[in-house]
Amino acid sequence: MLSYISNILLSIDIVTPKYKPLVYTALGATTLATGAVFSSWESIKIIGLTILTGCAYGIANDMIACRDCIEYFTVGHFYDGLNLASRPVQSLNPSLNAIAWGMLATWPVCALAGVILSTIARAPLPGITLKIKAKQIAPYLAIAAVLTLTIAHIGSRQAQKIMQENPFAKYHDVPLDLQAGWEACNIRNLTGYKALALDSMVLAIGILAVRILKRRDMESS
């Protein structure tokens, strides 16, 4: 599926030339993550699953954000009107932008989270033989993604409402009528990243706790 999308992008040349490395790296990473899920190595599976879950969250999140304020989605998030030169894709279509941004903005963070979770779940630890598999982590990754999306959406809507009721020029060069939408996108991103970090920490602690507690159960039985 991802290779199919990549071929479409190549054929219609919709990717902005100077951002092709950025976009195609994201596509490549997501494609590799898809393949990793089918690996026989559980550590690789966990990393791939974490990246895919993160990208799915990112795309879903940006499907909403790109409809709130498409002007926000320039590289660096500076106001450039509807100019396409500073956008990853040569289109203002919200769905295309959401797919591109959903992958390129989340895969590096989720790759790091995946490596950490994989290490905690599978690395040999003194006195601990139990190892956690990808399929055991998958439901919690899904729950974390849904929670993050919900928290980011609520925070975004609250911020947008406040800005709509009392509009002011918070963001430099952004027209007043776009300030509320810009605020919604900015808060959505910031809240999402914070929630992703917190979710990863909680999940990592949970995985480690399960491994330790299972060892104690085995010792006491």
Side-chain angles (χ1 to χ4, degrees):
M1 179 64 179
L2 289 169
S3 60
Y4 176 69
I5 294 172
S6 180
N7 289 335
I8 291 176
L9 292 176
L10 283 169
S11 64
I12 60 179
D13 200 25
I14 197 173
V15 180
T16 304
K18 65 180 176 180
Y19 296 125
K20 282 185 178 181
L22 190 67
V23 174
Y24 290 128
T25 297
L27 268 173
T30 310
T31 302
L32 287 174
T34 303
V37 171
F38 299 98
S39 170
S40 58
W41 295 346
E42 287 294 329
S43 296
I44 300 300
K45 276 186 181 180
I46 293 170
I47 295 171
L49 190 61
T50 305
I51 293 173
L52 284 183
T53 304
C55 287
Y57 153 77
I59 291 171
N61 192 50
D62 286 343
M63 282 289 179
I64 303 170
C66 285
R67 286 165 172 79
D68 281 339
C69 185
I70 193 65
E71 292 84 355
Y72 177 83
F73 289 90
T74 56
V75 176
H77 300 307
F78 63 92
Y79 181 72
D80 196 22
L82 298 178
N83 194 323
L84 299 177
S86 298
R87 300 175 187 277
V89 293
Q90 291 288 288
S91 172
L92 294 175
N93 181 285
S95 296
L96 281 176
N97 277 273
I99 292 169
W101 276 102
M103 289 187 291
L104 65 88
T106 54
W107 85 262
V109 178
C110 292
L112 176 61
V115 170
I116 293 171
L117 292 177
S118 176
T119 301
I120 293 173
R122 305 294 299 176
L125 297 174
I128 299 177
T129 56
L130 175 72
K131 294 183 178 181
I132 306 298
K133 295 183 177 181
K135 66 180 181 181
Q136 294 173 284
I137 296 174
Y140 299 100
L141 285 174
I143 291 169
V146 172
L147 282 175
T148 300
L149 184 62
T150 303
I151 292 168
H153 185 68
I154 292 171
S156 169
R157 285 292 174 259
Q158 288 177 338
Q160 186 177 29
K161 183 179 179 182
I162 292 171
M163 183 69 81
Q164 286 172 337
E165 292 174 350
N166 299 287
F168 65 97
K170 179 177 180 179
Y171 299 100
H172 182 64
D173 288 339
V174 178
L176 192 61
D177 62 328
L178 295 178
Q179 289 281 336
W182 199 281
E183 174 80 340
C185 292
N186 198 48
I187 295 300
R188 182 181 293 276
N189 277 352
L190 291 175
T191 305
Y193 280 124
K194 289 177 182 178
L196 279 172
L198 180 60
D199 291 341
S200 298
M201 289 174 59
V202 170
L203 187 53
I205 292 170
I207 291 170
L208 185 59
V210 167
R211 294 186 71 185
I212 293 172
L213 290 173
K214 285 291 184 180
R215 182 198 65 179
R216 290 178 179 175
D217 289 343
M218 291 172 65
E219 289 175 348
S220 61
S221 60

